[in-house]
Amino acid sequence: MLADLSAQESTAGYANGDFSPVDVLDAVAERIAACEPTINALWDNATGDGPVSERTRKAAQDSAGRWQRGEALSGLDGVVVTVKENIARAGVAMPSGTKPGSRTPEERNAPIVDRLEEAGAVIVGSTVMPDWGMLSSGVSSLHGITRSPINPDLTTGGSSSGAGAAAVAGYGPIHIGSDIGGSIRLPGTWLGLATLKPSFGRVPLSVPYQGRCAGPLARRMSDVIAAMEVIGRSDARDYTQLPPYAGAYQTRFDPANVRVAVHVDAGCGMDVDPQVAEVVLGVAREFERAGAEVEEIEPFMDDELLSLIDLFWRVRSYNDLMKLSEEDRAHVLPYVAQWCEAGAHVTGPELMDAYNSIHSMRKRTVSATEPFDLVLSPVAPVAAFPAEWPMPFNDPSQSMGHISFTVPYNMSEQPASTVHAGYTDDGRTVGVQVAGPRFADPFVLSASLWLEETLDVELPARTVGV
């Protein structure tokens, strides 16, 4: 079906004249109409006539004309994509998943959106997120609950919840999310997706923040690579950006003699489900069979580091909460408001200890992973949980014990992908995290593509809108 094509399959069809970007957009519109009432993935798709806006339709028509003239702009020309709600699009508001959030349309695109539009991509909408992106689910005071297209009873993960749901549902092949502690990779493991949290500064942002990155979610690693070829380019508006990179995001990968570390114990947080651990260890054995040097490493995180980064975020979000009127504060998701309240009475020295923990986490992560080319681990310690739960442990007094494998790579600024690697006995998806040295995004992507092709795990079936 046209809505399920990869980016490469889409552009090959355009080039051959088999179908046009308008045909694909129409197929995606039909898929949105069938799935959106259940999964609730999109924020602004209802503008204009029908399930897609006139702005989107014009982009598809313009792309069709370029393909007919043999003037395609890039490998994403005419490819249908979405971007997360907190990535600015001119004319679209950014409420950040919360009911009191802004309804004022943005005046200017974020760098990512400019790169996509310059490449001719067709942006079908902005995807939803939970309040301020501080939940690992699709629960939002503004949007309600976003549900998995695989099983609507289960979470999408978050905070790139709408992006993950849109990817599985077939709202185009490429979806851009953001990640400060696992928000791209968690939907990856709980929805059976391919993802990348890039090196910090590799994908430019209009509002950079320590640890925050934007990157692609897709059903195939080839689409993640295709997206990075466009969005992984420099923009002076991001004052934290890395030096310009003009190379390819896919290189030749040979696992022979590659130094691979593996660990299934983070040293903190939630206990790892044995079935999740076994999937990761099975991936390590695949690398070993292919000639890689595989070594199991000791945990390098601890509960104090995890609690301190959680406290740092609570103070930051409490500050945001207090900027709202009393009436607006009452409309923030109660779980998030309660989580924020723990930051109310933190002293200056305590906050500095929390801030300094970020650098301790970075030092430990870099030191532990430096001898290796790749590090394999679970993305999350558990498989998908009920869609109605804000978090897998569902208790705002607890620190974020489910991000013990992901958050270290945000703070160390290293790239980390998700590869769909298997299933639990009850059919829930399990991803493996593949991390590499800072700046080694092409190497991590190429290794992840090799792994995806080697494992050849069946993609999860969509049960919504069929």
Side-chain angles (χ1 to χ4, degrees):
M1 300 176 69
L2 293 181
D4 298 311
L5 298 178
S6 68
Q8 186 175 14
E9 289 167 342
S10 297
T11 55
Y14 303 157
N16 293 334
D18 298 331
F19 47 82
S20 77
V22 175
D23 296 326
V24 172
L25 178 61
D26 287 342
V28 169
E30 289 180 12
R31 185 66 57 81
I32 291 170
C35 294
E36 195 59 13
T38 301
I39 69 171
N40 188 28
L42 291 174
W43 157 233
D44 73 316
N45 70 299
T47 58
D49 298 323
V52 296
S53 70
E54 286 308 307
R55 171 183 176 180
T56 300
R57 186 161 298 282
K58 184 177 186 305
Q61 291 167 342
D62 290 347
S63 175
R66 288 192 294 272
W67 281 103
Q68 287 178 343
R69 297 190 301 271
E71 299 173 355
L73 297 174
S74 76
L76 290 192
D77 201 336
V79 173
V80 177
V81 304
T82 70
V83 297
K84 193 174 176 179
E85 176 184 336
N86 61 352
I87 299 171
R89 293 171 61 210
V92 179
M94 291 201 309
S96 294
T98 187
K99 191 172 288 185
S102 171
R103 299 298 192 278
T104 303
E106 294 296 307
E107 295 183 358
R108 188 178 182 187
N109 288 338
I112 291 168
V113 176
D114 279 339
R115 297 295 89 76
L116 290 169
E117 291 186 344
E118 290 161 3
V122 177
I123 301 176
V124 76
S126 295
T127 52
V128 301
M129 58 189 284
D131 292 52
W132 294 325
M134 296 315 300
L135 296 176
S136 298
S137 69
V139 181
S140 161
S141 62
L142 174 61
H143 307 300
I145 298 173
T146 302
R147 297 179 179 275
S148 169
I150 304 166
N151 179 350
D153 292 335
L154 296 178
T155 189
T156 56
S159 63
S160 300
S161 51
V168 177
Y171 294 8
I174 292 170
H175 308 272
I176 309 302
S178 65
D179 187 317
I180 199 172
S183 292
I184 289 172
R185 289 157 289 165
L186 294 170
T189 190
W190 292 328
L191 290 170
L193 297 172
T195 77
L196 178 71
K197 192 282 304 173
S199 296
F200 181 79
R202 178 52 66 208
V203 174
L205 301 172
S206 50
V207 186
Y209 182 83
Q210 189 159 27
R212 182 174 181 248
C213 298
L217 302 89
R219 302 203 81 186
R220 308 161 178 85
M221 192 55 65
S222 59
D223 286 331
V224 172
I225 293 169
M228 285 299 296
E229 293 285 2
V230 169
I231 67 171
R233 306 302 176 187
S234 62
D235 191 295
R237 285 172 285 178
D238 186 342
Y239 49 83
T240 66
Q241 69 169 329
L242 297 178
Y245 175 69
Y249 275 95
Q250 181 180 347
T251 61
R252 180 179 178 274
F253 179 77
D254 182 355
N257 301 316
V258 171
R259 298 165 298 168
V260 177
V262 60
H263 66 125
V264 294
D265 178 4
C268 59
M270 300 175 71
D271 292 337
V272 176
D273 183 322
Q275 293 185 49
V276 171
E278 181 50 39
V279 168
V280 175
L281 294 174
V283 168
R285 290 191 289 270
E286 289 291 345
F287 272 97
E288 199 164 34
R289 278 192 284 269
E293 302 172 15
V294 178
E295 178 181 332
E296 194 161 349
I297 60 171
E298 295 297 316
F300 52 85
M301 285 280 289
D302 60 41
D303 283 312
E304 182 182 21
L305 280 181
L306 200 59
S307 295
L308 286 171
I309 187 66
D310 178 80
L311 182 64
F312 183 76
W313 288 336
R314 287 179 194 246
V315 174
R316 183 196 66 169
S317 294
Y318 178 75
N319 190 41
D320 292 336
L321 185 70
M322 288 300 100
K323 291 176 182 177
L324 300 176
S325 68
E326 185 174 349
E327 180 182 359
D328 281 344
R329 286 199 296 272
H331 292 299
V332 173
L333 194 77
Y335 186 103
V336 171
Q338 187 177 342
W339 176 78
C340 292
E341 289 289 345
H345 303 295
V346 174
T347 66
E350 289 171 334
L351 182 58
M352 283 307 301
D353 284 343
Y355 174 76
N356 289 332
S357 74
I358 293 172
H359 300 280
S360 297
M361 190 185 300
R362 178 174 185 160
K363 180 179 179 181
R364 287 198 200 178
T365 306
V366 172
S367 296
T369 61
E370 188 278 331
F372 303 98
D373 301 307
L374 297 169
V375 181
L376 308 176
S377 74
V379 176
V382 295
F385 50 93
E388 293 80 9
W389 289 12
M391 291 286 207
F393 41 81
N394 209 25
D395 178 359
S397 69
Q398 292 189 34
S399 63
M400 296 189 180
H402 59 297
I403 63 171
S404 50
F405 290 104
T406 51
V407 71
Y409 298 104
N410 291 82
M411 300 309 136
S412 69
E413 306 186 0
Q414 296 171 243
S417 73
T418 307
V419 176
H420 175 47
Y423 293 89
T424 60
D425 290 344
D426 60 6
R428 290 175 292 167
T429 56
V430 179
V432 63
Q433 179 171 250
V434 181
R438 193 176 178 213
F439 316 134
D441 303 65
F443 182 76
V444 168
L445 286 169
S446 301
S448 300
L449 179 63
W450 173 86
L451 179 59
E452 179 184 84
E453 292 173 345
T454 299
L455 295 174
D456 194 25
V457 179
E458 184 178 1
L459 292 176
R462 171 176 53 87
T463 63
V464 176
V466 296

Tab-separated table of all heavy atoms in Angstrom, residues 7 14 19 22 36 46 56 61 68 75 81 127 131 152-153 163 189 205 242-243 254 280-281 325 349 402-403 431 435:
chain	number	residue	atom	x	y	z
A	7	ALA	N	10.885	5.635	2.160
A	7	ALA	CA	11.251	6.829	1.396
A	7	ALA	C	11.835	6.446	0.040
A	7	ALA	O	11.489	7.035	-0.994
A	7	ALA	CB	12.254	7.671	2.193
A	14	TYR	N	8.043	7.598	-7.857
A	14	TYR	CA	7.894	8.915	-8.488
A	14	TYR	C	8.744	9.000	-9.752
A	14	TYR	O	8.295	9.487	-10.795
A	14	TYR	CB	8.331	10.026	-7.527
A	14	TYR	CG	7.615	10.078	-6.194
A	14	TYR	CD1	8.212	10.692	-5.094
A	14	TYR	CD2	6.350	9.525	-6.029
A	14	TYR	CE1	7.574	10.759	-3.870
A	14	TYR	CE2	5.703	9.586	-4.799
A	14	TYR	CZ	6.329	10.199	-3.716
A	14	TYR	OH	5.703	10.274	-2.504
A	19	PHE	N	3.441	6.323	-9.684
A	19	PHE	CA	2.491	7.091	-8.872
A	19	PHE	C	3.172	8.405	-8.534
A	19	PHE	O	4.371	8.592	-8.811
A	19	PHE	CB	2.079	6.330	-7.601
A	19	PHE	CG	3.233	5.731	-6.843
A	19	PHE	CD1	3.996	6.498	-5.966
A	19	PHE	CD2	3.578	4.396	-7.007
A	19	PHE	CE1	5.058	5.956	-5.271
A	19	PHE	CE2	4.650	3.839	-6.317
A	19	PHE	CZ	5.393	4.623	-5.447
A	22	VAL	N	1.196	13.167	-4.845
A	22	VAL	CA	-0.214	13.412	-4.523
A	22	VAL	C	-0.920	12.088	-4.239
A	22	VAL	O	-1.741	11.993	-3.307
A	22	VAL	CB	-0.905	14.179	-5.658
A	22	VAL	CG1	-2.401	14.314	-5.384
A	22	VAL	CG2	-0.264	15.551	-5.839
A	36	GLU	N	-6.677	7.743	13.065
A	36	GLU	CA	-6.547	8.849	14.008
A	36	GLU	C	-7.602	8.848	15.119
A	36	GLU	O	-7.279	9.176	16.267
A	36	GLU	CB	-6.542	10.182	13.250
A	36	GLU	CG	-6.055	11.362	14.054
A	36	GLU	CD	-4.639	11.227	14.585
A	36	GLU	OE1	-3.905	10.312	14.145
A	36	GLU	OE2	-4.268	12.023	15.451
A	46	ALA	N	-6.103	18.658	11.244
A	46	ALA	CA	-7.489	18.909	10.855
A	46	ALA	C	-7.699	20.262	10.193
A	46	ALA	O	-8.821	20.641	9.919
A	46	ALA	CB	-8.395	18.803	12.091
A	56	THR	N	-0.288	21.363	2.908
A	56	THR	CA	0.334	20.061	2.667
A	56	THR	C	0.052	19.578	1.249
A	56	THR	O	0.938	19.062	0.553
A	56	THR	CB	-0.179	19.041	3.689
A	56	THR	OG1	0.141	19.492	5.006
A	56	THR	CG2	0.438	17.676	3.462
A	61	GLN	N	1.669	18.600	-4.564
A	61	GLN	CA	1.473	18.953	-5.977
A	61	GLN	C	2.747	19.557	-6.569
A	61	GLN	O	3.127	19.233	-7.706
A	61	GLN	CB	0.307	19.927	-6.094
A	61	GLN	CG	-1.045	19.303	-5.789
A	61	GLN	CD	-2.145	20.329	-5.604
A	61	GLN	OE1	-1.871	21.522	-5.381
A	61	GLN	NE2	-3.391	19.890	-5.677
A	68	GLN	N	7.961	15.197	-12.450
A	68	GLN	CA	7.606	15.114	-13.877
A	68	GLN	C	8.637	15.819	-14.750
A	68	GLN	O	8.920	15.383	-15.868
A	68	GLN	CB	6.221	15.730	-14.097
A	68	GLN	CG	5.077	14.872	-13.587
A	68	GLN	CD	3.728	15.554	-13.787
A	68	GLN	OE1	3.637	16.762	-14.013
A	68	GLN	NE2	2.656	14.777	-13.679
A	75	GLY	N	16.486	13.186	-2.064
A	75	GLY	CA	15.915	11.863	-1.851
A	75	GLY	C	14.679	11.867	-0.978
A	75	GLY	O	14.063	10.811	-0.779
A	81	VAL	N	6.205	13.214	5.691
A	81	VAL	CA	6.858	13.199	7.005
A	81	VAL	C	5.966	13.927	8.011
A	81	VAL	O	5.043	14.656	7.643
A	81	VAL	CB	8.242	13.871	6.958
A	81	VAL	CG1	9.136	13.219	5.918
A	81	VAL	CG2	8.123	15.367	6.677
A	127	THR	N	3.043	16.130	15.349
A	127	THR	CA	2.609	15.023	16.207
A	127	THR	C	2.565	15.441	17.668
A	127	THR	O	3.332	16.286	18.122
A	127	THR	CB	3.550	13.819	16.044
A	127	THR	OG1	4.905	14.226	16.227
A	127	THR	CG2	3.384	13.195	14.666
A	131	ASP	N	2.527	16.357	28.441
A	131	ASP	CA	2.802	17.679	29.014
A	131	ASP	C	4.301	17.948	29.146
A	131	ASP	O	5.011	17.248	29.873
A	131	ASP	CB	2.162	17.790	30.394
A	131	ASP	CG	0.652	17.813	30.341
A	131	ASP	OD1	0.065	16.906	29.701
A	131	ASP	OD2	0.046	18.715	30.931
A	152	PRO	N	-3.990	-0.921	20.882
A	152	PRO	CA	-4.407	0.342	21.486
A	152	PRO	C	-4.473	0.318	23.009
A	152	PRO	O	-4.562	1.377	23.632
A	152	PRO	CB	-5.791	0.594	20.879
A	152	PRO	CG	-5.829	-0.216	19.643
A	152	PRO	CD	-4.984	-1.427	19.916
A	153	ASP	N	-4.408	-0.862	23.606
A	153	ASP	CA	-4.380	-0.945	25.065
A	153	ASP	C	-3.015	-0.576	25.629
A	153	ASP	O	-2.885	-0.352	26.837
A	153	ASP	CB	-4.738	-2.359	25.530
A	153	ASP	CG	-6.181	-2.726	25.254
A	153	ASP	OD1	-7.026	-1.804	25.164
A	153	ASP	OD2	-6.473	-3.929	25.113
A	163	ALA	N	4.755	10.862	17.266
A	163	ALA	CA	5.688	10.490	16.194
A	163	ALA	C	5.782	8.980	16.063
A	163	ALA	O	5.752	8.422	14.954
A	163	ALA	CB	7.061	11.087	16.460
A	189	THR	N	11.524	1.209	21.215
A	189	THR	CA	11.450	-0.153	21.757
A	189	THR	C	10.022	-0.610	21.961
A	189	THR	O	9.703	-1.784	21.752
A	189	THR	CB	12.235	-0.264	23.081
A	189	THR	OG1	12.338	-1.644	23.448
A	189	THR	CG2	11.604	0.499	24.219
A	205	LEU	N	18.803	22.818	16.388
A	205	LEU	CA	17.543	23.174	17.033
A	205	LEU	C	17.443	24.682	17.158
A	205	LEU	O	18.463	25.371	17.280
A	205	LEU	CB	17.463	22.556	18.431
A	205	LEU	CG	17.563	21.031	18.512
A	205	LEU	CD1	17.662	20.600	19.968
A	205	LEU	CD2	16.369	20.380	17.846
A	242	LEU	N	27.271	21.367	16.131
A	242	LEU	CA	28.590	20.857	15.804
A	242	LEU	C	29.089	21.498	14.509
A	242	LEU	O	28.303	22.076	13.754
A	242	LEU	CB	28.529	19.340	15.637
A	242	LEU	CG	28.139	18.546	16.883
A	242	LEU	CD1	28.071	17.063	16.557
A	242	LEU	CD2	29.112	18.802	18.020
A	243	PRO	N	30.381	21.391	14.220
A	243	PRO	CA	30.878	21.889	12.931
A	243	PRO	C	30.130	21.223	11.778
A	243	PRO	O	29.672	20.073	11.900
A	243	PRO	CB	32.348	21.474	12.942
A	243	PRO	CG	32.707	21.376	14.376
A	243	PRO	CD	31.467	20.884	15.074
A	254	ASP	N	31.518	-3.472	8.513
A	254	ASP	CA	31.962	-4.855	8.620
A	254	ASP	C	32.139	-5.160	10.107
A	254	ASP	O	32.984	-4.559	10.771
A	254	ASP	CB	33.288	-5.041	7.882
A	254	ASP	CG	33.783	-6.482	7.923
A	254	ASP	OD1	33.148	-7.312	8.613
A	254	ASP	OD2	34.804	-6.777	7.281
A	280	VAL	N	18.565	-8.722	24.146
A	280	VAL	CA	19.805	-7.961	23.989
A	280	VAL	C	21.009	-8.892	23.924
A	280	VAL	O	21.909	-8.722	23.076
A	280	VAL	CB	19.951	-6.946	25.138
A	280	VAL	CG1	21.311	-6.232	25.058
A	280	VAL	CG2	18.823	-5.915	25.101
A	281	LEU	N	21.052	-9.888	24.783
A	281	LEU	CA	22.180	-10.830	24.763
A	281	LEU	C	22.196	-11.627	23.465
A	281	LEU	O	23.279	-11.962	22.943
A	281	LEU	CB	22.095	-11.759	25.969
A	281	LEU	CG	22.293	-11.074	27.331
A	281	LEU	CD1	22.032	-12.064	28.464
A	281	LEU	CD2	23.691	-10.479	27.447
A	325	SER	N	-0.557	31.076	35.411
A	325	SER	CA	-1.556	31.570	36.352
A	325	SER	C	-2.078	30.404	37.178
A	325	SER	O	-1.949	29.225	36.798
A	325	SER	CB	-2.705	32.236	35.603
A	325	SER	OG	-3.442	31.257	34.868
A	349	PRO	N	22.271	25.043	46.822
A	349	PRO	CA	23.316	24.007	46.827
A	349	PRO	C	22.819	22.655	46.326
A	349	PRO	O	23.545	21.944	45.626
A	349	PRO	CB	23.718	23.944	48.305
A	349	PRO	CG	23.436	25.312	48.826
A	349	PRO	CD	22.176	25.737	48.111
A	402	HIS	N	13.147	4.150	34.501
A	402	HIS	CA	13.066	3.457	33.212
A	402	HIS	C	14.027	4.036	32.179
A	402	HIS	O	14.109	3.527	31.066
A	402	HIS	CB	11.643	3.537	32.676
A	402	HIS	CG	11.169	4.938	32.478
A	402	HIS	ND1	11.036	5.827	33.512
A	402	HIS	CD2	10.831	5.624	31.359
A	402	HIS	CE1	10.631	6.991	33.047
A	402	HIS	NE2	10.493	6.887	31.732
A	403	ILE	N	14.747	5.118	32.525
A	403	ILE	CA	15.651	5.737	31.544
A	403	ILE	C	17.119	5.509	31.893
A	403	ILE	O	17.998	6.201	31.389
A	403	ILE	CB	15.367	7.243	31.383
A	403	ILE	CG1	15.628	8.013	32.683
A	403	ILE	CG2	13.935	7.463	30.901
A	403	ILE	CD1	15.574	9.523	32.510
A	431	GLY	N	13.291	-3.472	21.656
A	431	GLY	CA	14.378	-2.895	20.875
A	431	GLY	C	15.689	-3.005	21.615
A	431	GLY	O	15.724	-3.117	22.850
A	435	ALA	N	24.778	2.223	20.886
A	435	ALA	CA	25.424	3.512	21.125
A	435	ALA	C	26.856	3.478	20.623
A	435	ALA	O	27.479	2.416	20.540
A	435	ALA	CB	25.399	3.854	22.612
